[in-house]
Amino acid sequence: MANEDLGKTLRRLASLTQEELAERSGVSVDVIRQLEQGRKHSARLPTLHALANGLGVELTTLLGDPPAVSASGENDGPRFVAVRRAIMPALWGPAPEPPGPDFSMNSLREEIADGWTRYHSAEFDTVMKALPDLISDARSATASGSDDARRAGFAALGKALQLAGHVAVRMGKTDLALISLERAIDAAGRSSDPLLLPMIVNSTAWTYQRQGRLEDALGIALRAADDMADAGHTDTADGLKVWGALTMSAATSAARSGDYERAAAMMETAEKEAARVSKLPDGGDNRMVSVFSPSSVRIERVRLAVQYGHPQDALALAKGMRLSKDTPPSWRTWLLLDVARAHTDTGDAAGAVKTLESLRRVAPTWMQHHTLAVAIVRDLRALPNQPPGLRSLAEFLGVCE
C-alpha cells in the first residue's frame, strides 16, 4: 500500500514515542521512523493493521481516500450543508409546525426505510439528497395533535437522525455524526419504541470506534445489551437482533483493544443466540432493525480473524457459508473483502483476485468506497508474478502504476 500522507498521519496520531508505538504494534522502530520521516512511503497491509492496532485507530485512518472516490471537498458542498442544517437547525429558528392534511406516517416510515436500504447499497448521494426532507417531515410529525402521533413522530425523527449519523461517518464527519446521534437518542427517549434507543447506542458505539474511543464504545455497547436482557427485550426477533448487534459491536471493540480471546468468546455466544432469531415472532420492517443473523455473526468472526492475524481461521469460517436473504450488500462486501485479504495473507494471490472479481460483480459501488479493496490490490500488484485479472481490478479502482 502506498500513501504519501502516511508519515504525516502517523505523526499526527502518535501521542506515543516511536519506541512505544513499536512495542505496542510489533512494528520495528526503524520502519516507523522511516515512515514518519517520509523516507518510506509504503507499507503492506499486515504492517498497517499492526500500526492501527498500536495506535487504537481504524485501519481506514491510515489507508486514506480510495483513488476512485473524489476527495476534492465535495463532502462539504451544498448537499452536505443541507444535511448539516437538518441535523442542527439554525438557532432561534421557528418551532416545528404540525404536518398538513396530506401527511402519512406510514409513507414517512417507508421513505426512511428506503433511505436505509439505499445507505446499505452505498447510494450515499441519493440518501444525502433525501435526508433534509425526511428529518424535516419527522420534526413536523413531533408537533402532531395526539400523544400517540407525537410519539410516532419522535420515533421517525430518531431513525432519520440515526441515518444521518451513519452518512456523516461515511463522509468522515464523526463529530457531526455524534451530534446527530445524540439528538436521535433524545428523540428515541420521547418515542414509544423500546428498541430505538439501544439501536442508536449501537450506532454511537460504532462512531466511537471510528474515533479510536474503544473503551467508551465497549462500555456503552455492553451496558445497552445488558439493559435489553434485563428488560426482557430479547424474547422477540427484533429485540434479539438489536441485542446481537450490540454484542458484536462490543466484541469488535474488545478485539481492537487487544483482547482477541474475549472478543472470540462474545462472538461464539452471539452466534448461538442468532440461531434463535428465526424461531421468534417477527415484529416489523427488517430494514429498520439492526442486522443480526447467523450470517452476520459469521461475517464478523471472519473479519476479526483476518484483522488479528488468523487468516487460515478466517478462510475456514468463510468456507461454504450461505448468506441469508436479508444480509445487506454492505455486509456481503465486507465478507468478500476479508476473504480476499485472507487469501493475500496466505500467499494465494489467485484466490484473492477471484474473490475481488466476485465483489466487483455483486457490489461495485461499495467496492469503490472501500480503501481496503484498494490496499489489497496494491499489495497484490507488488508481487513479482501478478495473477490474471489483477490489471482490470486496478483500473476499476483507479490504482495507478
Side-chain angles (χ1 to χ4, degrees):
M1 182 254 179
N3 184 348
E4 293 180 358
D5 295 325
L6 180 55
K8 294 179 181 177
T9 301
L10 285 175
R11 289 193 297 275
R12 174 173 58 83
L13 292 173
S15 57
L16 310 170
T17 66
Q18 293 174 347
E19 290 74 16
E20 288 171 333
L21 179 55
E23 182 178 353
R24 288 195 183 188
S25 64
V27 177
S28 73
V29 174
D30 185 54
V31 168
I32 294 170
R33 184 175 296 117
Q34 290 184 52
L35 288 169
E36 287 194 358
Q37 293 176 352
R39 292 186 288 120
K40 180 180 177 67
H41 295 293
S42 63
R44 299 293 299 279
L45 268 171
T47 300
L48 291 172
H49 263 302
L51 288 171
N53 290 340
L55 291 166
V57 300
E58 289 272 352
L59 173 65
T60 51
T61 303
L62 302 184
L63 292 180
D65 295 304
V69 179
S70 172
S72 61
E74 279 301 306
N75 291 351
D76 290 319
R79 187 157 291 172
F80 200 76
V81 169
V83 174
R84 285 182 184 275
R85 293 184 67 193
I87 294 171
M88 300 180 292
L91 186 64
W92 301 316
E97 294 186 1
D102 296 332
F103 172 77
S104 166
M105 178 57 72
N106 288 336
S107 295
L108 177 58
R109 288 197 189 100
E110 179 62 29
E111 289 170 6
I112 294 172
D114 182 65
W116 279 100
T117 298
R118 293 181 181 277
Y119 168 83
H120 284 302
S121 299
E123 297 177 28
F124 301 131
D125 194 59
T126 301
V127 177
M128 279 199 292
K129 183 179 180 181
L131 270 172
D133 286 341
L134 289 180
I135 295 172
S136 176
D137 289 345
R139 278 209 178 95
S140 291
T142 65
S144 298
S146 71
D147 288 344
D148 287 346
R150 284 195 297 273
R151 283 193 286 267
F154 278 113
L157 179 59
K159 204 63 186 173
L161 287 170
Q162 183 192 18
L163 177 58
H166 276 243
V167 171
V169 170
R170 292 296 179 192
M171 297 299 106
K173 315 294 184 183
T174 54
D175 286 335
L176 177 65
L178 289 177
I179 292 172
S180 191
L181 293 171
E182 287 172 1
R183 297 184 180 204
I185 286 172
D186 177 71
R190 302 170 74 176
S191 76
S192 56
D193 183 352
L195 301 183
L196 184 54
L197 175 59
M199 279 193 283
I200 299 169
V201 168
N202 193 28
S203 298
T204 305
W206 174 56
T207 309
Y208 284 166
Q209 288 174 5
R210 298 298 289 254
Q211 292 186 329
R213 298 170 57 179
L214 301 179
E215 184 177 347
D216 294 337
L218 176 62
I220 65 170
L222 287 177
R223 175 175 171 175
D226 288 345
D227 287 348
M228 289 197 68
D230 292 343
H233 290 315
T234 59
D235 295 334
T236 65
D238 285 353
L240 186 57
K241 288 177 184 178
V242 177
W243 174 91
L246 286 162
T247 302
M248 290 196 296
S249 176
T252 299
S253 295
R256 286 190 54 201
S257 299
D259 196 345
Y260 181 78
E261 297 303 321
R262 183 184 185 189
M266 287 183 187
M267 283 297 184
E268 289 178 9
T269 299
E271 190 160 18
K272 291 176 182 177
E273 288 296 302
R276 292 201 298 124
V277 169
S278 62
K279 302 173 184 177
L280 293 172
D282 196 356
D285 192 333
N286 285 330
R287 295 172 296 173
M288 300 280 271
V289 182
S290 299
V291 176
F292 183 65
S293 65
S295 296
S296 68
V297 180
R298 185 60 63 90
I299 290 170
E300 276 296 305
R301 292 185 67 188
V302 170
R303 181 183 305 180
L304 291 180
V306 170
Q307 290 183 353
Y308 297 94
H310 304 273
Q312 295 287 5
D313 290 349
L315 293 174
L317 286 166
K319 186 175 181 180
M321 189 190 306
R322 301 185 68 176
L323 301 180
S324 56
K325 293 181 180 180
D326 62 348
T327 304
S330 55
W331 286 70
R332 295 170 185 269
T333 299
W334 269 118
L335 174 63
L336 290 171
L337 278 174
D338 288 328
V339 169
R341 165 72 199 283
H343 281 306
T344 303
D345 288 351
T346 59
D348 183 4
V353 167
K354 183 178 179 181
T355 305
L356 290 173
E357 287 176 334
S358 296
L359 174 57
R360 182 178 177 179
R361 288 193 295 272
V362 301
T365 305
W366 263 113
M367 186 177 185
Q368 289 182 310
H369 276 274
H370 270 286
T371 50
L372 181 56
V374 174
I376 293 170
V377 168
R378 280 176 167 158
D379 269 11
L380 292 172
R381 285 172 64 80
L383 299 175
N385 298 314
Q386 297 182 8
L390 182 58
R391 175 178 290 276
S392 175
L393 288 170
E395 292 174 351
F396 176 69
L397 293 174
V399 178
C400 300
E401 296 288 343

